[in-house]
Amino acid sequence: MNRSNINNLTMPLLGMLDLGQAPRVAVEAHRVASYAYPGSFAPHDVHPNKVLYEADLPKQQTEDLRARGHDLEEWPARTWMAGGTCIALRDGSGMDAVADPRRAGTANIGAKP
C-alpha cells in the first residue's frame, strides 16, 4: 500500500464525518500526507516528521505545520501523487458518487434499483 493511501482515504472521511462536508467537497479538499511511518516496500524507509502537501494548501496551514516541527515538501496542486479517492453513498434521498479529479476515475449514478 502506498503511504499516501492512508491519508487520501482518511481525509475525505474525516471531512464528511467531522466537518460535515459534502462528498465532493471532501474528496476535492487539499491533501497532506505523512511519511513518518515505514513504507510498504523494501527497504521500508521512514522519514520522521516528513509531510508532503499540495501547493494550493492555504499558507496558514503550511505555517502551522512548520511551526509544529514538520519537514515540509510541496507537491504540485491537485497532483495524482496525493491519491485518488472515489466515494459512492446511498441514503434515504438517493445515491451520490464522486471521483477524485486527481486521478482518471469517473463516477456515474445509474437508474435507481
Side-chain angles (χ1 to χ4, degrees):
M1 177 182 285
N2 182 318
R3 271 189 268 226
S4 66
N5 283 355
I6 293 169
N7 297 287
N8 82 56
L9 296 173
T10 303
M11 291 179 69
L13 181 63
L14 292 175
M16 291 187 309
L17 296 176
D18 290 348
L19 304 176
Q21 295 174 335
R24 179 165 306 284
V25 172
V27 165
E28 293 181 1
H30 309 291
R31 297 264 173 81
V32 297
S34 170
Y35 280 65
Y37 52 90
S40 300
F41 306 104
H44 309 290
D45 56 334
V46 179
H47 302 277
N49 296 321
K50 172 69 92 182
V51 173
L52 281 77
Y53 67 95
E54 289 183 304
D56 54 352
L57 187 71
K59 185 175 180 176
Q60 179 59 43
Q61 291 181 7
T62 59
E63 289 173 355
D64 184 47
L65 289 167
R66 192 169 281 111
R68 293 170 186 253
H70 293 290
D71 174 18
L72 300 181
E73 184 176 322
E74 186 177 279
W75 276 326
R78 296 215 179 251
T79 181
W80 64 269
M81 294 178 286
T85 302
C86 295
I87 295 176
L89 298 172
R90 177 186 287 192
D91 63 17
S93 63
M95 294 185 69
D96 192 8
V98 177
D100 198 326
R102 294 171 182 87
R103 297 275 178 116
T106 59
N108 188 18
I109 301 172
K112 292 184 179 181

